[in-house]
PDB file of all heavy atoms in Angstrom:
ATOM      1  N   TRP A  70      -8.416 -22.246   7.716  1.00  0.00           N
ATOM      2  CA  TRP A  70      -7.251 -21.546   7.198  1.00  0.00           C
ATOM      3  C   TRP A  70      -6.401 -21.081   8.368  1.00  0.00           C
ATOM      4  O   TRP A  70      -6.821 -20.227   9.143  1.00  0.00           O
ATOM      5  CB  TRP A  70      -7.672 -20.341   6.349  1.00  0.00           C
ATOM      6  CG  TRP A  70      -8.344 -20.731   5.085  1.00  0.00           C
ATOM      7  CD1 TRP A  70      -8.584 -22.005   4.640  1.00  0.00           C
ATOM      8  CD2 TRP A  70      -8.889 -19.859   4.101  1.00  0.00           C
ATOM      9  NE1 TRP A  70      -9.237 -21.980   3.451  1.00  0.00           N
ATOM     10  CE2 TRP A  70      -9.441 -20.664   3.089  1.00  0.00           C
ATOM     11  CE3 TRP A  70      -8.970 -18.492   3.970  1.00  0.00           C
ATOM     12  CZ2 TRP A  70     -10.043 -20.141   1.967  1.00  0.00           C
ATOM     13  CZ3 TRP A  70      -9.579 -17.969   2.858  1.00  0.00           C
ATOM     14  CH2 TRP A  70     -10.111 -18.788   1.867  1.00  0.00           C
ATOM     15  N   LEU A  73      -3.342 -18.302   6.362  1.00  0.00           N
ATOM     16  CA  LEU A  73      -3.840 -17.215   5.525  1.00  0.00           C
ATOM     17  C   LEU A  73      -5.276 -16.879   5.922  1.00  0.00           C
ATOM     18  O   LEU A  73      -6.218 -17.155   5.186  1.00  0.00           O
ATOM     19  CB  LEU A  73      -3.779 -17.586   4.037  1.00  0.00           C
ATOM     20  CG  LEU A  73      -4.005 -16.423   3.071  1.00  0.00           C
ATOM     21  CD1 LEU A  73      -2.880 -15.405   3.175  1.00  0.00           C
ATOM     22  CD2 LEU A  73      -4.119 -16.917   1.643  1.00  0.00           C
ATOM     23  N   ALA A 168     -12.853 -11.005 -27.696  1.00  0.00           N
ATOM     24  CA  ALA A 168     -12.177 -11.167 -28.986  1.00  0.00           C
ATOM     25  C   ALA A 168     -12.037 -12.635 -29.379  1.00  0.00           C
ATOM     26  O   ALA A 168     -11.949 -12.959 -30.570  1.00  0.00           O
ATOM     27  CB  ALA A 168     -10.796 -10.508 -28.928  1.00  0.00           C
ATOM     28  N   TYR A 209     -18.794  -2.357 -23.981  1.00  0.00           N
ATOM     29  CA  TYR A 209     -18.067  -1.729 -25.096  1.00  0.00           C
ATOM     30  C   TYR A 209     -17.464  -2.793 -26.009  1.00  0.00           C
ATOM     31  O   TYR A 209     -17.567  -2.709 -27.248  1.00  0.00           O
ATOM     32  CB  TYR A 209     -16.972  -0.806 -24.556  1.00  0.00           C
ATOM     33  CG  TYR A 209     -15.919  -0.480 -25.577  1.00  0.00           C
ATOM     34  CD1 TYR A 209     -16.155   0.479 -26.561  1.00  0.00           C
ATOM     35  CD2 TYR A 209     -14.686  -1.140 -25.584  1.00  0.00           C
ATOM     36  CE1 TYR A 209     -15.196   0.772 -27.523  1.00  0.00           C
ATOM     37  CE2 TYR A 209     -13.722  -0.852 -26.536  1.00  0.00           C
ATOM     38  CZ  TYR A 209     -13.980   0.097 -27.505  1.00  0.00           C
ATOM     39  OH  TYR A 209     -13.035   0.380 -28.458  1.00  0.00           O
ATOM     40  N   LEU A 218     -20.663 -11.979 -32.879  1.00  0.00           N
ATOM     41  CA  LEU A 218     -21.642 -12.428 -31.885  1.00  0.00           C
ATOM     42  C   LEU A 218     -23.055 -12.470 -32.455  1.00  0.00           C
ATOM     43  O   LEU A 218     -24.029 -12.552 -31.695  1.00  0.00           O
ATOM     44  CB  LEU A 218     -21.614 -11.499 -30.654  1.00  0.00           C
ATOM     45  CG  LEU A 218     -20.292 -11.446 -29.883  1.00  0.00           C
ATOM     46  CD1 LEU A 218     -20.335 -10.347 -28.824  1.00  0.00           C
ATOM     47  CD2 LEU A 218     -19.987 -12.780 -29.235  1.00  0.00           C
ATOM     48  N   VAL A 233     -21.087 -18.473 -16.017  1.00  0.00           N
ATOM     49  CA  VAL A 233     -19.880 -18.988 -15.345  1.00  0.00           C
ATOM     50  C   VAL A 233     -19.172 -17.864 -14.594  1.00  0.00           C
ATOM     51  O   VAL A 233     -18.757 -18.028 -13.434  1.00  0.00           O
ATOM     52  CB  VAL A 233     -18.935 -19.640 -16.369  1.00  0.00           C
ATOM     53  CG1 VAL A 233     -17.583 -19.964 -15.735  1.00  0.00           C
ATOM     54  CG2 VAL A 233     -19.568 -20.904 -16.940  1.00  0.00           C
ATOM     55  N   PRO A 252     -14.206 -16.598  17.564  1.00  0.00           N
ATOM     56  CA  PRO A 252     -14.843 -16.177  18.810  1.00  0.00           C
ATOM     57  C   PRO A 252     -13.862 -15.294  19.597  1.00  0.00           C
ATOM     58  O   PRO A 252     -12.650 -15.400  19.426  1.00  0.00           O
ATOM     59  CB  PRO A 252     -15.124 -17.497  19.531  1.00  0.00           C
ATOM     60  CG  PRO A 252     -15.089 -18.534  18.453  1.00  0.00           C
ATOM     61  CD  PRO A 252     -14.093 -18.043  17.442  1.00  0.00           C
ATOM     62  N   HIS A 298      -1.379  13.039   1.888  1.00  0.00           N
ATOM     63  CA  HIS A 298      -1.937  13.476   3.164  1.00  0.00           C
ATOM     64  C   HIS A 298      -1.774  12.454   4.271  1.00  0.00           C
ATOM     65  O   HIS A 298      -2.029  12.767   5.441  1.00  0.00           O
ATOM     66  CB  HIS A 298      -3.421  13.823   3.004  1.00  0.00           C
ATOM     67  CG  HIS A 298      -4.298  12.640   2.732  1.00  0.00           C
ATOM     68  ND1 HIS A 298      -5.076  12.056   3.693  1.00  0.00           N
ATOM     69  CD2 HIS A 298      -4.515  11.929   1.603  1.00  0.00           C
ATOM     70  CE1 HIS A 298      -5.734  11.029   3.165  1.00  0.00           C
ATOM     71  NE2 HIS A 298      -5.413  10.944   1.898  1.00  0.00           N
ATOM     72  N   GLY A 311      -2.142  22.932  -9.619  1.00  0.00           N
ATOM     73  CA  GLY A 311      -3.179  21.905  -9.614  1.00  0.00           C
ATOM     74  C   GLY A 311      -4.324  22.235 -10.552  1.00  0.00           C
ATOM     75  O   GLY A 311      -4.813  21.376 -11.288  1.00  0.00           O
ATOM     76  N   LEU A 313      -4.118  24.254 -13.151  1.00  0.00           N
ATOM     77  CA  LEU A 313      -3.587  24.164 -14.508  1.00  0.00           C
ATOM     78  C   LEU A 313      -3.498  22.721 -14.981  1.00  0.00           C
ATOM     79  O   LEU A 313      -3.763  22.411 -16.153  1.00  0.00           O
ATOM     80  CB  LEU A 313      -2.207  24.826 -14.570  1.00  0.00           C
ATOM     81  CG  LEU A 313      -2.176  26.352 -14.608  1.00  0.00           C
ATOM     82  CD1 LEU A 313      -0.742  26.850 -14.523  1.00  0.00           C
ATOM     83  CD2 LEU A 313      -2.848  26.877 -15.868  1.00  0.00           C
ATOM     84  N   LEU A 373      -7.478   7.335 -17.187  1.00  0.00           N
ATOM     85  CA  LEU A 373      -6.162   7.209 -17.819  1.00  0.00           C
ATOM     86  C   LEU A 373      -6.250   6.460 -19.142  1.00  0.00           C
ATOM     87  O   LEU A 373      -5.527   6.792 -20.105  1.00  0.00           O
ATOM     88  CB  LEU A 373      -5.204   6.484 -16.868  1.00  0.00           C
ATOM     89  CG  LEU A 373      -4.614   7.333 -15.740  1.00  0.00           C
ATOM     90  CD1 LEU A 373      -3.855   6.456 -14.753  1.00  0.00           C
ATOM     91  CD2 LEU A 373      -3.690   8.407 -16.311  1.00  0.00           C
ATOM     92  N   ALA A 375      -8.704   6.588 -21.182  1.00  0.00           N
ATOM     93  CA  ALA A 375      -9.204   7.564 -22.149  1.00  0.00           C
ATOM     94  C   ALA A 375      -8.086   8.489 -22.609  1.00  0.00           C
ATOM     95  O   ALA A 375      -7.969   8.799 -23.815  1.00  0.00           O
ATOM     96  CB  ALA A 375     -10.342   8.372 -21.520  1.00  0.00           C
ATOM     97  N   ASP A 411       7.287  18.787   5.337  1.00  0.00           N
ATOM     98  CA  ASP A 411       7.858  18.288   6.582  1.00  0.00           C
ATOM     99  C   ASP A 411       6.849  17.359   7.250  1.00  0.00           C
ATOM    100  O   ASP A 411       5.725  17.762   7.558  1.00  0.00           O
ATOM    101  CB  ASP A 411       8.195  19.456   7.513  1.00  0.00           C
ATOM    102  CG  ASP A 411       9.015  19.010   8.721  1.00  0.00           C
ATOM    103  OD1 ASP A 411       9.145  17.788   8.923  1.00  0.00           O
ATOM    104  OD2 ASP A 411       9.515  19.881   9.444  1.00  0.00           O
ATOM    105  N   TYR A 452       5.055  -1.397  14.624  1.00  0.00           N
ATOM    106  CA  TYR A 452       4.911  -2.845  14.780  1.00  0.00           C
ATOM    107  C   TYR A 452       4.952  -3.589  13.444  1.00  0.00           C
ATOM    108  O   TYR A 452       5.760  -4.502  13.247  1.00  0.00           O
ATOM    109  CB  TYR A 452       3.615  -3.184  15.510  1.00  0.00           C
ATOM    110  CG  TYR A 452       3.319  -4.670  15.478  1.00  0.00           C
ATOM    111  CD1 TYR A 452       4.003  -5.544  16.311  1.00  0.00           C
ATOM    112  CD2 TYR A 452       2.401  -5.200  14.580  1.00  0.00           C
ATOM    113  CE1 TYR A 452       3.773  -6.902  16.265  1.00  0.00           C
ATOM    114  CE2 TYR A 452       2.155  -6.567  14.527  1.00  0.00           C
ATOM    115  CZ  TYR A 452       2.843  -7.415  15.369  1.00  0.00           C
ATOM    116  OH  TYR A 452       2.623  -8.761  15.311  1.00  0.00           O
ATOM    117  N   SER A 544      28.202   8.918  36.155  1.00  0.00           N
ATOM    118  CA  SER A 544      29.517   9.332  36.645  1.00  0.00           C
ATOM    119  C   SER A 544      30.203   8.166  37.339  1.00  0.00           C
ATOM    120  O   SER A 544      29.621   7.508  38.200  1.00  0.00           O
ATOM    121  CB  SER A 544      29.353  10.512  37.605  1.00  0.00           C
ATOM    122  OG  SER A 544      28.547  10.131  38.707  1.00  0.00           O
TER     123      SER A 544
END
Side-chain angles (χ1 to χ4, degrees):
W70 292 359
L73 192 66
Y209 161 79
L218 298 172
V233 170
H298 69 102
L313 283 174
L373 281 171
D411 190 350
Y452 170 77
S544 60

